[in-house]
Each structure stands twice: as structure tokens, then as C-alpha cells.
């Protein structure tokens, strides 16, 4: 039997080492930063936190190392209203790490060491078969082994659990995986990797969306940065603008969008309303530094939306 409104997120956990600097260094150059922070991140964990803080009933399938930071992250995830029973501490492994530069425009570049995220094996996914089968939706990204993502999608598909894929970081994907996906949320770079279409305007986004529909995906939401999203359902597409805010740091903006979108969709809100809710969460996140420290709580999103009228 399904648990109504239940979300399962499968994905990565990282400790983010973030250095803010005026501009990115070029090869061979050393640049002094103006702010350094270690914050909890990882695309999976960020999306889980965004869902938890915005009000979803959520469990998280992931791996940390058996180290101190892994233990601290696990405790914080519980504070963020996440069921961490399926988070494994992998013996002899270190928790994943992301090294991040953020420039004066709030843009970022990221390098990752997978660490324990690489240990999220098919066997660990199989052990969570029942949890995935009972959920309403499964949300995944691509910082976990692809075999495990594929297996989780198969289990979900077999049990009518909606499969949502945020295909980040960008990589080509087999049609066997894409055909199991119900909702996909690439950014422009990821959409190009998956379709070969360079997404520079709405027409390009519509073309990329059609290619993803042809692979069997009903709902395609291409995020377009400050221009909002291209939302296409079974071939009917339109651009939905976001909110204008002064961005200081875009780390985890997409993750916040995905997590909050799931909360709203699982509350059975219409897509347009769910997109507005997700846009509001992401708009708040870009006005704050870091990944999880920037993710808003439900009352902050509701307040933001009230102010927009
Ligand atoms: O999407 C942002 C995230 O990407 C960061 O938190 C970092 O850990 C990387 O996974």
C-alpha cells in the first residue's frame, strides 16, 4: 500500500568547502578569497533538505563516511525533518567533498570527490525496495552510481512511484533510464547533453523538451536561470518566469527548486502553482550563502509569496 504524499530522495551527501573570491583563478594563477565556509551540501542532500524544510514527508537514501562530519550531517538532516534510517555510514570511507569557488557575480565552479557516495551500491538500493515501492515519488540526481539510479528507477516504475530525475551534473544518459522517468528537470547545459540541442531561447527549450518527450518522459521542466523555466507536459510547453532578486550565491538554487517542487506536487497542487512555490524557494536561496544554509523553511517561502501578492 502507498503512503500518501511520501517522498524518497536518493542521492549524494557532501561537505562543501566554499571560497568566495572576486573572480575565478585562471590556470597557474593563485587568488586570495574574501570568505571561506565549510557547509553541508551534495545535490541529493540539498534536495532532501529543501523538501524537508518546505514540508514534505521524506526519507533519504544516501551514504556518508564513518567520520565525524558524516555523523554531524546525519544529525542535521534529522533536524531538517528527514527520515535518515536509509542513510548508511560506510566503514573505511570518508564523506563526499565538494571544493567550490564562488565569484563576485554569485556564479560557482565545483570539483567533487565522491568518497562514500560511490558506495551507494545496487545492493543498498535493493535493500530499500519496499520503501521506494510504497512512496508516491522518488527524486534522484546523478552524483550517485548510475547502476543504482537505474535500479531505483526500475523499482519505482514497477510500483507506480513517480520517478523524478534532476540530471545533474550533466552527462549523457541511456534511453533505458530515461524511459523510466516521469518528470525531468535539467538546466540548459544538462538539456543539451541529453538532447544535443543548445538551449539559448524558448524555441530551443521547446525542441529539447520534445526530444525528451519522445524518449518517454511526460513532464519536462528545463530550468533557465534568471529566465525561469520551460515547462512542457506531453508536448504542451510554456515559459514560466521566476522572481527577480539580487543573487549573491547560486549554490543549490537548482536543488532548492527541485526539493520544493516535490513538496508542492505531493500536496497535489497544480503544476503552475507548484512551479511558483519552487521559484520562491530558489529565489530566497540565491540571496544567501552556501548550499544547505541557504535553503528556506516553509514559513519563509509562504511569507515571500505573500509579499509578492
Ligand atoms: O548543487 C550544489 C551542490 O553540488 C553542492 O552542494 C556540492 O556539494 C555539489 O554536489
Amino acid at each position: 500500500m502507498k503512503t500518501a504524499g511520501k517522498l524518497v530522495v536518493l542521492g549524494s551527501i557532501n561537505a562543501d568547502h566554499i571560497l568566495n573570491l572576486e573572480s575565478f583563478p585562471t590556470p597557474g594563477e593563485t587568488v586570495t578569497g574574501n570568505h571561506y565556509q565549510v557547509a553541508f551540501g551534495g545535490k541529493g542532500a540539498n534536495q532532501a533538505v529543501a523538501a524537508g524544510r518546505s514540508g514534505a514527508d521524506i526519507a533519504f537514501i544516501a551514504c556518508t563516511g564513518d567520520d565525524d562530519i558524516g555523523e554531524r550531517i546525519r544529525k542535521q538532516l534529522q533536524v531538517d525533518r528527514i527520515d535518515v534510517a536509509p542513510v548508511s555510514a560506510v566503514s573505511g570511507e570518508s564523506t563526499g567533498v565538494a571544493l567550490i569557488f564562488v565569484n563576485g557575480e554569485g556564479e560557482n565552479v565545483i570539483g567533487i570527490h565522491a568518497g562514500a557516495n560511490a558506495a551507494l551500491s545496487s545492493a543498498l538500493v535493493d535493500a530499500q525496495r519496499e520503501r521506494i515501492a510504497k512512496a508516491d515519488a522518488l527524486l534522484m540526481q546523478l552524483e550517485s552510481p548510475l547502476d543504482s539510479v537505474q535500479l531505483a528507477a526500475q523499482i519505482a516504475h514497477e510500483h507506480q512511484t513517480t520517478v523524478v530525475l534532476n540530471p545533474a551534473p550533466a552527462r549523457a544518459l541511456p534511453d533505458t533510464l530515461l524511459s523510466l522517468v516521469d518528470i525531468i528537470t535539467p538546466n540548459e547545459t544538462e538539456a543539451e547533453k541529453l538532447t544535443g540541442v543548445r538551449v539559448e531561447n524558448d524555441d530551443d527549450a521547446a525542441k529539447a523538451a520534445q526530444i525528451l518527450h519522445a524518449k518517454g518522459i511526460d513532464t519536462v521542466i528545463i530550468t533557465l536561470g534568471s529566465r525561469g523555466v520551460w515547462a512542457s507536459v506531453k508536448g504542451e510547453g510554456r515559459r514560466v518566469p521566476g522572481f527577480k532578486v539580487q543573487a549573491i550565491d547560486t549554490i543549490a538554487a537548482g536543488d532548492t527548486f527541485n526539493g520544493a517542487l516535490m513538496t508542492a506536487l505531493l500536496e497535489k497542487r497544480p503544476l503552475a502553482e507548484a512551479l511558483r512555490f519552487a521559484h520562491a524557494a530558489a529565489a530566497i536561496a540565491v540571496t544567501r550563502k552556501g548550499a544547505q544554509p541557504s535553503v528556506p523553511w516553509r514559513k519563509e517561502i509562504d511569507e515571500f509569496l505573500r509579499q509578492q501578492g
Side-chain angles (χ1 to χ4, degrees):
M1 248 239 317
K2 291 273 175 199
T3 311
K6 181 86 194 179
L7 173 65
V8 171
V9 175
L10 181 150
S12 59
I13 292 177
N14 291 331
D16 291 352
H17 293 254
I18 307 166
L19 185 66
N20 292 78
L21 29 73
E22 218 19 69
S23 46
F24 297 133
T26 53
E29 190 186 10
T30 300
V31 173
T32 301
N34 51 47
H35 183 267
Y36 170 73
Q37 181 187 10
V38 180
F40 299 158
K43 294 187 194 305
N46 298 342
Q47 294 182 19
V49 167
R53 289 188 192 167
S54 62
D57 174 4
I58 172 194
F60 185 30
I61 303 173
C63 292
T64 65
D66 61 351
D67 43 16
D68 173 58
I69 194 145
E71 187 48 37
R72 285 193 286 133
I73 290 171
R74 191 189 172 89
K75 285 197 179 124
Q76 180 58 45
L77 292 171
Q78 285 172 286
V79 172
D80 291 324
R81 304 183 59 262
I82 296 164
D83 175 359
V84 295
V87 176
S88 312
V90 183
S91 147
E93 264 301 349
S94 56
T95 295
V97 170
L99 303 178
I100 306 180
F101 285 154
V102 179
N103 71 8
E105 267 87 73
E107 299 165 321
N108 60 66
V109 290
I110 305 181
I112 282 173
H113 170 62
N117 295 309
L120 183 49
S121 61
S122 299
L124 279 182
V125 173
D126 201 45
Q128 299 302 325
R129 182 173 281 275
E130 200 181 328
R131 197 183 290 276
I132 295 170
K134 280 189 178 160
D136 262 0
L138 170 71
L139 170 64
M140 300 187 288
Q141 323 72 33
L142 299 174
E143 282 181 349
S144 305
L146 198 58
D147 286 355
S148 303
V149 171
Q150 173 89 32
L151 176 61
Q154 252 153 22
I155 296 169
H157 184 73
E158 277 162 24
H159 294 88
Q160 292 80 47
T161 300
T162 302
V163 178
V164 185
L165 181 66
N166 171 232
R171 56 170 292 174
L173 289 174
D175 285 352
T176 45
L177 172 58
L178 293 173
S179 66
L180 299 170
V181 173
D182 299 294
I183 303 175
I184 196 162
T185 60
N187 65 16
E188 293 118 311
T189 313
E190 292 146 11
E192 182 177 351
K193 262 277 188 266
L194 295 176
T195 65
V197 176
R198 199 181 170 86
V199 178
E200 289 176 332
N201 54 43
D202 290 355
D203 286 348
D204 301 336
K207 260 184 230 147
Q210 292 306 339
I211 292 172
L212 292 167
H213 285 316
K215 291 180 189 287
I217 306 172
D218 274 357
T219 303
V220 178
I221 297 168
I222 302 178
T223 54
L224 307 167
S226 58
R227 295 196 327 111
V229 300
W230 182 262
S232 183
V233 180
K234 295 182 179 162
E236 286 290 307
R238 72 183 179 101
R239 189 159 62 79
V240 182
F243 296 101
K244 295 235 174 314
V245 291
Q246 188 62 47
I248 62 157
D249 177 340
T250 57
I251 299 173
D255 297 332
T256 303
F257 178 89
N258 276 278
L261 180 69
M262 291 317 300
T263 297
L265 289 177
L266 289 169
E267 288 173 3
K268 303 274 178 256
R269 301 208 207 178
L271 183 60
E273 218 181 281
L275 289 172
R276 187 173 150 79
F277 184 81
H279 272 318
I284 297 169
V286 300
T287 63
R288 301 171 177 173
K289 284 196 166 120
Q292 286 163 43
S294 74
V295 175
W297 287 84
R298 176 60 169 258
K299 60 177 186 321
E300 296 174 302
I301 304 170
D302 287 344
E303 179 55 29
F304 179 93
L305 284 169
R306 245 192 312 277
Q307 282 170 13
Q308 300 300 315

